[in-house]
Amino acid sequence: MDENSNLYKIRHSMAHVLAQAVQEVYPKVKLGFGPPIDTGFYYDFDFSEEEFAENKLKEIEKRMKKIIGRKQEFLYSETDVDGAVAKLEELGEGEYKIENVRNLHSRGVEKFSFYQNGDFADLCEGPHVPDTGALPAKAFKLDRVAGAYWLGSEKNKQLTRIYALCFETPEELQGFLERRRIAEQFDHKKLGKELDIYHIDDMVGKGLPLWLPNGTVIRDEVEKYANEMEFRYGYKRVSTPHIAKEELYLTSGHLPHYADSMFPPMEVKEHDHDECTEKFYLKAMNCPHHHLIFKSRPHSYRDLPLRLAEYGTCYRYEQSGELSGLLRVRCMTMNDAHIYISLDQFESEFRRTMEMYKEFYDTFKLTQYSFRLSVRDDSEKFVGDPALWAKAEALLAKVMDEMEIPYYIGEGEAAFYGPKIDIQFKNLMGREETVSTIQVDFQSGDKFDLKYVDADGNDQIPVIMHRAPLSTHERFISFLLEYYGGAFPTWCAPVQVCMLPVQDSCLEFTNALADELTQDFFRVEVDNSNNTFNKKIRTNTKRKIPILLIIGEQEVADQTVTVRRYGSRDQVTISRDEFVATFKAEVKERKMLREPMGSII
């Protein structure tokens, strides 16, 4: 968010008004931080011995509106470190704010600014609106209360964080609340449970999802589609182990640069009498394994591009507090591939990869995405020759410009071994998540001593392109669950057709059609339960099955079926054979005949 924008100033000023109102209700409260965020602002408080009750939010909201009505001017002042400490002690802020001042001073900050409105003053850099009267009293709402450790460390005291929503107009606030209501309805954790997609069990562990039959169907269909697409684009499939020796990840650089995200090693003795053990690690990335596959055979320039693809399972030690349903997990199966090319093939291969991505996205009807060119900054985590980095960054930008693909720069967002293109998708609340990547790697070929023989008979090091258009099963399916509202297109739906015989006399016709489709590997069910007909409709609609077939005595007599599609109250009666032909074509061509809920919202 632009710190000079009016909305930023409003949210920043509102955070001060919140702290002022809380102090009026709880005079002994101590203040932490209170920054603006994407949807509003928050403030952290230490209520000490007092217990903050969430039902107090309404009272604090009313006080905030009174402060807004007083039109208190925001007055700026500046002092040195001693003056800042003295002022905070005078204000009774002797713990968190003073610690923050001393931390900043140790990093070279000499001047400290305060803003005062009415009787309230806070350590703050600004900017703010001119006075509280410029704040939209009807466009904010205190939202929720959460715990937050001081400075984000579990070693520190847990403070009480009050979140607030804030926009420039009441209409924007109401629009956000409505979008959030829909997003909560389509939250993948909620839908995952309702639709029997996955389960996380404490006996297995946090972040380690168990895929239920319905979820496994979706995984299998997405992977089948990826396999077919990659075959058409000239990829060769490989499979690699889930563990490897320490030496592999030392060579790749993952242990020096990525160790915090890897599980601890397993120490193994090859033989009982061995004195020494060898360390094995769970695979955090597929790429080192693929590099060894390339290295296992000699290659000439005629073999390039060599495209190795794998839906490889990886393990990453995500922090417990960061785990979230399928979005952030510790075990993930990645739509991974590594393309080994000569430098003069880079531009054409990158174009071809972008074309593949577009074909994937069109099939899934994905539209809300943008491109980020993730480059290095001056931190020490980025390794390799700066000249090669500059060349890779320039090549990516050149091709994106020539293809007229808009993008923005993400400084410091590159992988440690090279720049990348991140494809950012927006969820239903407008928040961006990285779903797909294309990474350029000038480092690994040298580290692993990868070679190919050029047309003049000389050894050359290949450039490596890492790409993952469909991310991981876990992340991609979490996104699709929300984007589709759980209503998957027919080709990848867990149950594609549910048949509803109206009477027992219709069962023979119904079962014959179900058997025919099942023998052709379609996922079909017959609802022969004792429920009423209307309840069968309701039950199977709640399961978001894309096609319901109603079969009564008239349909049996006429050799027809009545088709009812999810999301439509309209029904159409067509011949049995016409339905079979159109249904098979719909699945084979991976058509999606209705718009995803996410694109409508």
Side-chain angles (χ1 to χ4, degrees):
M1 190 191 309
D2 181 3
E3 293 188 7
N4 292 312
S5 70
N6 187 52
L7 182 56
Y8 184 93
K9 293 175 183 177
I10 286 172
R11 288 171 172 172
H12 199 168
S13 304
M14 275 288 199
H16 284 228
V17 173
L18 168 60
Q20 183 180 2
V22 168
Q23 277 193 339
E24 290 181 5
V25 180
Y26 297 91
K28 295 181 181 179
V29 73
K30 288 186 170 55
L31 306 181
F33 291 127
I37 55 176
D38 285 347
T39 57
F41 56 93
Y42 68 77
Y43 215 110
D44 291 339
F45 301 94
D46 180 359
F47 289 95
S48 301
E49 303 304 318
E50 298 178 274
E51 185 176 345
F52 180 77
E54 195 157 345
N55 58 18
K56 286 280 190 180
L57 290 181
K58 288 293 182 187
E59 178 184 345
I60 292 169
E61 241 183 54
K62 288 179 183 177
R63 285 181 179 262
M64 290 175 69
K65 289 178 180 178
K66 287 180 180 178
I67 294 168
I68 290 169
R70 294 172 196 158
K71 298 184 178 180
Q72 297 172 344
E73 189 176 357
F74 284 95
L75 301 172
Y76 176 86
S77 63
E78 190 178 272
T79 183
D80 60 14
V81 61
D82 293 332
V85 170
K87 184 172 181 66
L88 289 168
E89 287 175 341
E90 179 187 338
L91 292 169
E93 297 296 335
E95 189 172 343
Y96 304 105
K97 297 284 186 181
I98 290 176
E99 182 183 345
N100 186 38
V101 164
R102 287 179 172 146
N103 285 340
L104 290 171
H105 183 61
S106 70
R107 297 200 292 269
V109 177
E110 297 294 339
K111 295 296 182 182
F112 297 87
S113 56
F114 287 80
Y115 276 87
Q116 180 157 348
N117 58 295
D119 296 330
F120 177 78
D122 201 357
L123 178 74
C124 176
E125 291 183 346
H128 290 282
V129 297
D131 60 68
T132 60
L135 299 173
K138 295 182 178 179
F140 84 95
K141 173 184 173 61
L142 296 188
D143 192 37
R144 60 191 173 92
V145 176
Y149 292 107
W150 171 241
L151 300 180
S153 171
E154 295 180 5
K155 297 176 182 178
N156 294 333
K157 186 172 182 179
Q158 189 174 63
L159 306 182
T160 299
R161 177 171 293 179
I162 298 178
Y163 283 98
L165 305 173
C166 183
F167 297 87
E168 292 186 85
T169 67
E171 291 76 19
E172 288 174 300
L173 173 62
Q174 291 307 313
F176 174 85
L177 290 170
E178 176 60 16
R179 286 197 308 277
R180 186 169 72 175
R181 183 191 67 78
I182 295 170
E184 287 171 351
Q185 180 183 345
F186 291 159
D187 181 85
H188 85 271
K189 295 185 288 294
K190 175 176 178 289
L191 289 173
K193 184 175 183 179
E194 292 174 355
L195 301 176
D196 292 329
I197 303 297
Y198 72 98
H199 171 64
I200 293 177
D201 198 294
D202 284 342
M203 289 187 72
V204 177
K206 293 180 179 179
L208 302 170
L210 301 169
W211 289 90
L212 305 179
N214 285 349
T216 302
V217 166
I218 299 168
R219 278 177 57 119
D220 288 349
E221 288 296 334
V222 170
E223 187 167 344
K224 179 183 176 186
Y225 176 40
N227 291 351
E228 292 174 10
M229 178 84 84
E230 287 163 353
F231 182 84
R232 287 198 291 108
Y233 274 82
Y235 287 79
K236 298 180 185 298
R237 297 199 63 76
V238 297
S239 295
T240 60
H242 292 222
I243 64 172
K245 289 182 179 180
E246 180 182 46
E247 180 185 0
L248 179 65
Y249 301 119
L250 287 171
T251 302
S252 69
H254 285 100
L255 275 176
H257 299 281
Y258 203 76
D260 289 347
S261 296
M262 296 177 68
F263 277 89
M266 297 169 277
E267 296 195 355
V268 177
K269 287 186 177 182
E270 289 288 353
H271 305 286
D272 291 341
H273 59 269
D274 286 352
E275 293 184 7
C276 299
T277 60
E278 289 189 294
K279 290 182 179 179
F280 285 79
Y281 283 83
L282 284 170
K283 177 172 63 172
M285 296 283 189
N286 298 305
C287 37
H289 298 251
H290 290 191
H291 300 336
L292 294 185
I293 289 176
F294 179 92
K295 190 176 180 179
S296 69
R297 297 288 185 275
H299 296 285
S300 84
Y301 70 97
R302 298 179 188 276
D303 300 325
L304 307 185
L306 178 61
R307 308 176 184 96
L308 302 180
E310 175 182 21
Y311 251 102
T313 301
C314 298
Y315 303 85
R316 297 181 189 168
Y317 186 70
E318 300 283 0
Q319 295 299 311
S320 178
E322 296 176 346
L323 299 172
S324 177
L326 294 176
L327 186 62
R328 294 294 293 270
V329 292
R330 288 172 169 168
C331 172
M332 63 213 71
T333 305
M334 189 179 301
N335 173 225
D336 219 353
H338 298 88
I339 308 170
Y340 301 84
I341 53 178
S342 60
L343 185 58
D344 62 0
Q345 293 172 325
F346 176 83
E347 290 187 38
S348 61
E349 191 64 26
F350 181 50
R351 283 177 185 276
R352 182 181 175 85
T353 303
M354 292 296 291
E355 289 165 1
M356 171 196 258
Y357 276 46
K358 185 178 186 306
E359 192 171 343
F360 272 129
Y361 299 158
D362 288 348
T363 297
F364 288 103
K365 287 202 172 183
L366 305 178
T367 56
Q368 302 294 316
Y369 57 89
S370 59
F371 296 90
R372 180 179 73 195
L373 173 53
S374 296
V375 300
R376 70 200 187 288
D377 57 20
D378 57 4
S379 64
E380 295 180 357
K381 71 176 183 177
F382 301 106
V383 300
D385 183 351
L388 288 176
W389 271 91
K391 181 183 290 187
E393 290 168 353
L395 282 171
L396 286 173
K398 178 177 183 288
V399 177
M400 296 287 280
D401 290 338
E402 288 176 353
M403 295 182 73
E404 298 183 346
I405 297 173
Y407 62 91
Y408 63 97
I409 303 294
E411 192 169 335
E413 298 292 336
F416 71 83
Y417 50 78
K420 57 180 178 168
I421 298 293
D422 289 316
I423 296 88
Q424 305 291 108
F425 283 80
K426 286 187 176 180
N427 65 14
L428 298 185
M429 293 307 301
R431 187 174 64 252
E432 282 193 349
E433 298 280 358
T434 300
V435 172
S436 306
T437 61
I438 305 173
Q439 302 174 2
V440 186
D441 183 356
F442 282 103
Q443 318 297 333
S444 297
D446 187 42
K447 286 180 180 177
F448 281 88
D449 193 29
L450 306 184
K451 298 279 197 310
Y452 71 92
V453 179
D454 66 16
D456 297 323
N458 300 315
D459 283 346
Q460 300 291 344
I461 299 173
V463 178
I464 303 165
M465 193 181 298
H466 307 237
R467 47 105 285 191
L470 301 184
S471 186
T472 66
H473 277 320
E474 290 71 20
R475 176 165 287 229
F476 193 62
I477 291 172
S478 76
F479 177 82
L480 290 183
L481 268 168
E482 296 184 0
Y483 187 64
Y484 292 150
F488 283 82
T490 306
W491 67 270
C492 63
V495 177
Q496 296 169 313
V497 180
C498 184
M499 301 184 183
L500 310 178
V502 178
Q503 293 112 344
D504 287 347
S505 58
C506 308
L507 270 174
E508 183 179 352
F509 177 90
T510 303
N511 288 336
L513 177 56
D515 288 344
E516 177 185 330
L517 293 176
T518 300
Q519 289 302 310
D520 284 337
F521 301 101
F522 295 102
R523 298 179 292 280
V524 180
E525 288 185 1
V526 174
D527 188 344
N528 192 26
S529 67
N530 293 324
N531 292 331
T532 64
F533 181 72
N534 285 336
K535 188 172 182 181
K536 289 180 181 182
I537 293 282
R538 289 195 303 272
T539 298
N540 291 295
T541 299
K542 282 181 68 175
R543 296 171 65 199
K544 303 182 188 287
I545 296 172
I547 299 173
L548 301 183
L549 287 191
I550 300 166
I551 300 172
E553 290 184 343
Q554 190 65 51
E555 281 83 4
V556 174
D558 296 342
Q559 293 289 291
T560 59
V561 292
T562 296
V563 182
R564 179 169 178 156
R565 288 186 172 271
Y566 180 82
S568 174
R569 292 184 176 274
D570 296 334
Q571 299 180 169
V572 59
T573 301
I574 59 176
S575 75
R576 174 194 187 282
D577 292 344
E578 182 184 352
F579 167 74
V580 170
T582 56
F583 166 69
K584 288 183 176 181
E586 177 184 343
V587 173
K588 181 180 180 181
E589 297 168 25
R590 295 189 170 92
K591 295 179 181 177
M592 187 169 187
L593 301 182
R594 59 186 296 271
E595 292 302 310
M597 289 302 300
S599 65
I600 297 170
I601 296 163

